[in-house]
Amino acid sequence: MAGYKGSNINPRKFEVGQIKILLMLLPLAIFMGIPIVFIVCHAFKPMDELFAFPPQILVHKPTLDNFTKLFKASANSNIPMSRYVFNSIIVTGSVVLLSIIFSTMAGFALSKLRFKGKYALLEINNTALMFVSVAVMIPRYLVIDILEIKDTYLAHIFPLLAMPVGLFLVKQFIDQIPDALLDAAYMDGASDIKIYRSIILPLIKPAVATTAILAFQAAWTNVESSNLYINDESMKTLAFYLNTLANTNNNVAGQGILAAGLLIQFIPNLAIFLILRKSFMNTMAHSGIK
């Protein structure tokens, strides 16, 4: 393209021409940031501001009473909140690690390897993108019951390992890796495992980061497994505990506790996205390009 300069796509220095772009994007950025500001401020609102009408986004008289009530409710319960936090960390960490391994290995196989049934498996994964969790609730329960893993960490982890969206994005990213690069590695005597570990993984770090974000969000906020597969209260997760706070307390006091709990649950999601946001955006930009 005549006159094209790659350095102008994302200039490091401020240019006058960027003003019109900023004026268009600023209202959208503010609109998208309002829910985050509301969640943070809502947790610090006193009781009168929690039930103010019309609702206020910002807090005028911040207080820590909601967090105090949350920790008191946890101290008075049979199971301390630290136990739920521990369970969530174990489950979320396992889901993220295993999802990355399975998605990247399956993506490598579906993209670069040749075997019978490859395209049928790919179509099955693409079809699975249409199903919501409610549609597979009964089959999942039957599988968990047959495997006899109820009331274990596996009951939390196993249903979340299949990530059709993560596999699709990883596979699309691997498609961009030149076949000639892999052919050269094969000629040098490299095995599939060697190529996967030394070539594929280093080149798809953005896709790995995206898979990590998606897996983290799915596991950290999941309440389905605690509701359906877990009867032992000590094996349930933080998300389940926080979602039951408003019901175990009266409706008025429970709202403040729930607001504090939602902020605690939201912070890790925001943190992991901010840490990996650059890789996430790279995956979104390149996953459909071949």
Side-chain angles (χ1 to χ4, degrees), residues 88-146:
S88 290
I89 292 175
I90 294 296
V91 171
T92 304
S94 300
V95 169
V96 170
L97 177 62
L98 294 176
S99 294
I100 290 174
I101 294 174
F102 292 154
S103 295
T104 53
M105 293 184 71
F108 171 49
L110 293 174
S111 177
K112 298 301 182 182
L113 302 185
R114 299 176 183 177
F115 56 92
K116 188 175 182 180
K118 167 181 174 179
Y119 296 104
L121 292 175
L122 182 59
E123 289 303 319
I124 291 174
N125 181 79
N126 294 340
T127 302
L129 293 171
M130 299 186 299
F131 292 95
V132 296
S133 59
V134 177
V136 295
M137 185 181 297
I138 294 178
R140 279 182 176 177
Y141 180 84
L142 294 176
V143 171
I144 297 297
D145 186 54
I146 292 173

Side-chain angles (χ1 to χ4, degrees), residues 37-63:
V37 175
F38 179 80
I39 290 174
V40 175
C41 292
H42 200 60
F44 295 95
K45 289 179 179 178
M47 198 61 61
D48 58 335
E49 292 187 33
L50 283 172
F51 292 93
F53 186 84
Q56 302 294 320
I57 296 177
L58 300 178
V59 56
H60 301 289
K61 299 178 181 178
T63 177

Side-chain angles (χ1 to χ4, degrees), residues 181-194:
L181 179 62
L182 303 187
D183 292 339
Y186 282 123
M187 292 181 63
D188 289 339
S191 63
D192 289 334
I193 296 297
K194 178 68 174 179

